[in-house]
Amino acid sequence: MKQDLIYRLRIKRRRTAAMYPSFHIYDAELFFYPTKEAAEDKIRGFGWEPDLYCFIIEACPYNRDVTNRAYRRWVYDDEGVLISETLCSEFEDPQTREQDEYFPGRRPDQCRFKPGDIVEYVFNDTVTLGIVMECPPTPEDVADKGSRCSRYNKPFEGKAEYEEDAYSILSGKIDLHKYSQYYETHEFSYTTTVMPTSLPVPPEMKQQLKHLLINVYDEIEYANFDECRLGPQSTGLEKPLIIRSKMSTSEPVIYYLTPGNGALTVSVEKKPKRIRGYMDSVTTEEFAKVKEWIKLNYDVLMSNWNEPDSGALCENVKKV
């Protein structure tokens, strides 16, 4: 699709002294040029400056809202080296809401990063240290109408939108007071917002992120398939809970779910006790009822822990 384009050059600088795990950047300067080559000439005219973060060239069509979108985008590091670019238009027809172009998929050789790489990702001008969990969909993913995108849990139907050109990134660290580490730590970051690290990464942060990635992989491979979720209608308790077996827990426990991805981890024994989790959204009376439910269902819970059978579990649990 041929369009009349103008090229917008944005120069990003660090707002303050940068330190991991996150720091801030801002749009310091903005220029417009008739060609991409003229914008690149401007980039090459910069010498090294300690607060430079990156350069972004965006091809913007005339007579369209170009506030946050571009027909094409190219990202250059603080030395002017091209490090990322979009593969399709970010615009849609205002009448039909159809994309100008659909995302064709990104081949492995078009991905600068791979799972396990330590990176920076930018959101709302905040740069955060993270680790790549999953790369953008490939052309084969997009072409296979029966395939499912794990991040959206829906078919691509052969029409992947530009937002799907994204890496799945994990950041932060494991918080055992939360139930799902994946839910707590993952972000989907558009390809042109994922950057190579610009600072030395402290060894402890690198190890922390690699440990988080392994934990999330284990959660997806084992815990998600092992868990059995019971609602209040089945247990008589106020909140849902999750039961897992020795396939994914080292000891018999139940997870009593609380708001904000929280969970009370409670031991399955004759005298249950809280192992971890915050009590700020659970009353003393409610927690006593949880322990009573565990004692009432002790044999059923232990049987499921040793030999998982979700059907038998759901059939045999008693309400408190």
Side-chain angles (χ1 to χ4, degrees), residues 239-256:
K239 297 178 177 65
L241 59 81
I242 287 176
I243 300 165
R244 287 164 31 193
S245 75
K246 62 183 179 183
M247 289 174 58
S248 61
T249 63
S250 58
E251 56 186 334
V253 296
I254 64 103
Y255 302 90
Y256 189 65

Side-chain angles (χ1 to χ4, degrees), residues 68-108:
N68 297 310
R69 297 182 181 181
Y71 177 67
R72 289 289 189 276
R73 180 181 291 107
W74 300 267
V75 180
Y76 305 75
D77 66 16
D78 59 350
E79 295 182 348
V81 177
L82 177 67
I83 57 174
S84 183
E85 61 184 303
T86 55
L87 298 180
C88 64
S89 171
E90 299 172 349
F91 292 101
E92 59 187 26
D93 187 302
Q95 301 300 321
T96 65
R97 313 307 295 180
E98 287 285 314
Q99 298 282 159
D100 283 356
E101 301 172 308
Y102 287 94
F103 172 52
R106 190 171 285 271
R107 302 188 312 268

